[in-house]
Amino acid sequence: AMAAAAAAAAGHGDGARPDHLTRTAGEPREDCVSEARIVEVREETPTVRELVLEVADPAFTFRAGNWVDFFVEGCPKVGGYSMCSLPSDLPTLRLAVKRSSHPPAAWCHSEAAAPGASVQLKAGGQFCWDPAVDAGIASRLLLVAGGIGINPLYAIAQAALAASPTGGAAAAAAGVKQVSMLYSASRPSELAFRGHWEELARRDDRLRLSLHVTRNDPKEEPWAGPTGRIGAPALRAALGDGAR
């Protein structure tokens, strides 16, 4: 009922940019609409809050890189947030939401979004990584993200690195050999999941991690890594590295 009411009320946003349901009207969606309960709330960056949810319906499913329609009771707008967890983590599901005035995001950053609160979720999207299909056709991945756009690529990178091809030498040869991740944020503290990215890179030498900051004041946050937006030189370097 919550999902149906919100979907019926959804349309274009207050500004020129259409709402999530309008933007994704042509995207595939799963049939299942599931209740989900918040079990943990964590401040991932100064402006990004991570919600850890427990999904009620065992029929709920998605692929790494997908998003959910996010329905909050009493909220006239529908949020759209990419999962930053993996399908194998279900019934646990994680979302990282950037603070904004958009009603669903504002709710996620309010006191109402606390352990015990319930929402409804419906998975969708065609942008994804499916190890059963994609691991056999792409041995090297180049992923590029800025700001909160990291969410779907965070899930895709984890799924690709976790894929363990079986079935002999031919299957092993088809596995992912390298994942190059180029990720920029305004300053170091806004690099979401930075600690886990760096841990993954230490643990798995297939992950080539390049973190950039674009508007940092080194007096406030020390930073020895690349600065400025990700441009053609960084992309060429990553592609050349993969070619080797």
Side-chain angles (χ1 to χ4, degrees):
M2 188 193 311
H12 286 271
D14 297 331
R17 190 184 187 207
D19 263 359
H20 164 70
L21 289 185
T22 304
R23 295 196 309 272
T24 62
E27 295 279 330
R29 283 173 162 81
E30 300 290 337
D31 293 330
C32 176
V33 178
S34 178
E35 296 278 346
R37 182 175 58 89
I38 297 176
V39 296
E40 184 180 350
V41 176
R42 191 170 67 86
E43 307 305 322
E44 175 57 34
T45 81
T47 64
V48 174
R49 173 174 282 190
E50 183 181 66
L51 304 181
V52 182
L53 302 110
E54 183 176 314
V55 179
D57 194 329
F60 182 91
T61 187
F62 68 95
R63 292 173 292 178
N66 284 172
W67 38 256
V68 288
D69 299 330
F70 186 88
F71 303 97
V72 181
E73 187 170 7
C75 183
K77 302 292 185 181
V78 178
Y81 307 119
S82 295
M83 277 71 81
C84 52
S85 54
L86 299 179
S88 58
D89 296 332
L90 286 170
T92 298
L93 182 143
R94 294 163 51 211
L95 302 173
V97 181
K98 180 84 169 179
R99 183 187 299 124
S100 83
S101 60
H102 190 249
W107 182 89
C108 290
H109 282 264
S110 74
E111 293 182 358
S118 291
V119 298
Q120 288 187 338
L121 306 175
K122 183 180 181 72
Q126 56 188 341
F127 179 69
C128 65
W129 170 268
D130 185 345
V133 176
D134 299 317
I137 58 176
S139 62
R140 290 179 171 87
L141 300 184
L142 173 59
L143 307 176
V144 184
I148 198 59
I150 191 63
N151 280 344
L153 302 189
Y154 182 51
I156 285 173
Q158 292 179 87
L161 293 170
S164 300
T166 58
V176 175
K177 296 180 175 64
Q178 184 172 305
V179 177
S180 297
M181 181 71 240
L182 279 63
Y183 174 29
S184 73
S186 58
R187 54 189 191 273
S189 60
E190 289 292 351
L191 289 164
F193 317 114
R194 178 184 173 186
H196 190 220
W197 277 120
E198 292 173 341
E199 178 190 343
L200 285 172
R202 286 192 297 269
R203 200 168 64 207
D204 193 328
D205 61 9
R206 292 176 299 165
L207 176 60
R208 310 293 175 85
L209 181 63
S210 181
L211 302 177
H212 299 239
V213 298
T214 59
R215 299 195 304 272
N216 188 52
D217 182 347
K219 294 179 181 178
E220 295 182 2
E221 295 188 37
W223 177 252
T227 58
R229 297 188 181 278
I230 297 167
L235 293 172
R236 281 195 295 267
L239 291 170
D241 187 44
R244 290 195 297 270

